[in-house]
Amino acid sequence: MNLREQNDFLTQTGPGTPMGDLFRRYWIPALLSEEVGEPDGPPVRVKLLSERLLAFRDTKGRVGVIDEFCAHRGVSLWFGRNEENGLRCAYHGWKYDVTGQCTEVPSEPAESGFSKRTQECNYLQAMEGGIDSAHVSFLHRHDLRSDSLHVGKGAELTRETDARFEVVETKGGMVIGVRRPAQEGHLYWRITQWIMPFHSMIPPYGENALNGHAWVPIDDENCMAWCFTHHPTRQLTEHELDTMRNGGGIHVKLIPGTFRPVINKDNDYMIDRAGQRANKSYCGVAGIAMQDAAIQESMGPIQDRSKENLVSTDNGVIMARIRLRKAVLAAQQGEQPDGIDPATHAVRSASIVLPDNVSFYEAAADALVATAGVAHASV
């Protein structure tokens, strides 16, 4: 398999593709609950893994996600009537329940037998950005002093560009440890979790909450970024919520009525060159999330990985690609791929200062397990 074939293998997730077949074995966030609305309300278009689907809430309040097109003549069920516990095609009246089963064919004689945002690039380059801690020291370095959801001692240590990577495989994905100098005889570790197939958990800063993403393919050239922020031992404060609503942290402002960011490629990401020169932003784009999106989208809809030159700080990215490829091959051979067991998802990211002579993975073992009612480890 040449480099171009390897790139297609990893990035294409449509029906019948190896990676698409793998992803269809996992639970995939699709809509926010409020998007589906009230019982018997209008259906909602959804696109996942290059498939056009519809979501609706039936009379009993149950939510279904089904093929957009009627099995009869291929008419879009978006025009259908949501009534009496089913979605009825407006063309010939065929009716479908929340499981996708056709329950009525009235035109035939009786005798007949998942805050989210869109990102305009392939899921893989977005996900790889989520597990690449080296870029934080550059791309986000000024925001580490201005974004209230990131400031703190750990944020100051993260500005250090001398970063070294260690990667440990787990049953559900991998742990990526990135160390930077701390006080004498100690190292500051930022530990990222990657949970198969497309979830990433960002190491926390100080007393701030935990953050993470799910990078869900819409099609091969677009993805949905599901952004979550939570604290395991307290509710989020009004300040935190207000900052998130205004595009702080890993969140963005959206164009009203859509999930497209206000800052986007059509307006050149509102790049502020004066702000860039004044060190208000390293790249001139406002906000951590949109800095990432702008850089990732600049690679094109699907990055051509045959032209890249990887280095040691890319070890996490390299391992993720290897794990995904192995999972596809295992699935093709009838084996269960890694990361299906929910027990493998009970993990946390962490930031911690450790002596420079210990294994980060062993010393931080307890901090990397999600325990109800126990706060996360953070610097």
Side-chain angles (χ1 to χ4, degrees), residues 203-337:
Y205 291 100
E207 298 300 317
N208 290 301
L210 287 163
N211 296 285
H213 294 93
W215 309 98
V216 179
I218 297 174
D219 53 33
D220 291 344
E221 296 187 352
N222 299 273
C223 64
M224 193 70 72
W226 289 82
C227 313
F228 62 85
T229 298
H230 78 103
H231 198 287
T233 59
R234 62 168 175 82
Q235 292 184 338
L236 296 181
T237 67
E238 277 303 314
H239 168 72
E240 288 171 322
L241 294 171
D242 188 59
T243 301
M244 292 160 59
R245 295 186 193 106
N246 286 283
I250 65 168
H251 303 272
V252 303
K253 284 187 175 182
L254 302 173
I255 297 173
T258 77
F259 289 103
R260 193 183 193 207
V262 170
I263 298 173
N264 58 66
K265 67 179 180 181
D266 289 345
N267 52 39
D268 284 329
Y269 306 98
M270 298 183 180
I271 191 165
D272 180 0
R273 293 297 188 184
Q276 185 180 27
R277 289 192 297 270
N279 289 334
K280 293 180 179 179
S281 168
Y282 195 78
C283 70
V285 176
I288 288 173
M290 287 316 302
Q291 291 163 7
D292 284 333
I295 295 299
Q296 292 154 11
E297 290 178 4
S298 75
M299 301 173 180
I302 303 178
Q303 177 193 358
D304 184 356
R305 289 168 179 77
S306 67
K307 297 179 179 179
E308 66 185 2
N309 296 278
L310 301 177
V311 294
S312 62
T313 56
D314 297 310
N315 286 342
V317 168
I318 294 168
M319 184 57 68
R321 296 177 188 177
I322 293 172
R323 291 295 298 277
L324 285 172
R325 190 169 188 276
K326 285 182 177 179
V328 169
L329 297 176
Q332 289 178 331
Q333 295 168 8
E335 302 171 8
Q336 178 167 294

Side-chain angles (χ1 to χ4, degrees), residues 42-151:
V44 180
R45 291 188 178 105
V46 185
K47 194 174 186 183
L48 288 175
L49 310 183
S50 297
E51 287 194 59
R52 289 172 60 177
L53 309 171
L54 286 180
F56 68 99
R57 194 182 299 275
D58 73 4
T59 309
K60 295 181 179 179
R62 298 172 298 186
V63 175
V65 180
I66 65 174
D67 193 312
E68 179 181 344
F69 303 102
C70 180
H72 178 210
R73 296 273 296 279
V75 170
S76 173
L77 293 170
W78 185 78
F79 295 97
R81 298 176 60 88
N82 185 8
E83 58 189 13
E84 298 173 348
N85 290 311
L87 191 61
R88 190 181 296 279
C89 180
Y91 200 16
H92 295 96
W94 289 32
K95 188 176 184 180
Y96 301 85
D97 66 14
V98 292
T99 70
Q101 297 297 310
C102 183
T103 58
E104 291 182 26
V105 188
S107 60
E108 189 70 8
E111 58 271 19
S112 298
F114 272 84
S115 45
K116 67 179 184 179
R117 61 175 169 86
T118 54
Q119 189 159 320
E120 298 172 64
C121 68
N122 182 264
Y123 87 94
L124 187 62
Q125 62 212 61
M127 185 196 78
E128 290 176 349
I131 60 177
D132 169 22
S133 286
H135 81 274
V136 180
S137 302
F138 295 92
L139 184 60
H140 307 316
R141 66 181 294 106
H142 301 314
D143 296 81
L144 295 176
R145 286 179 172 171
S146 63
D147 188 300
S148 62
L149 301 188
H150 286 75
V151 296

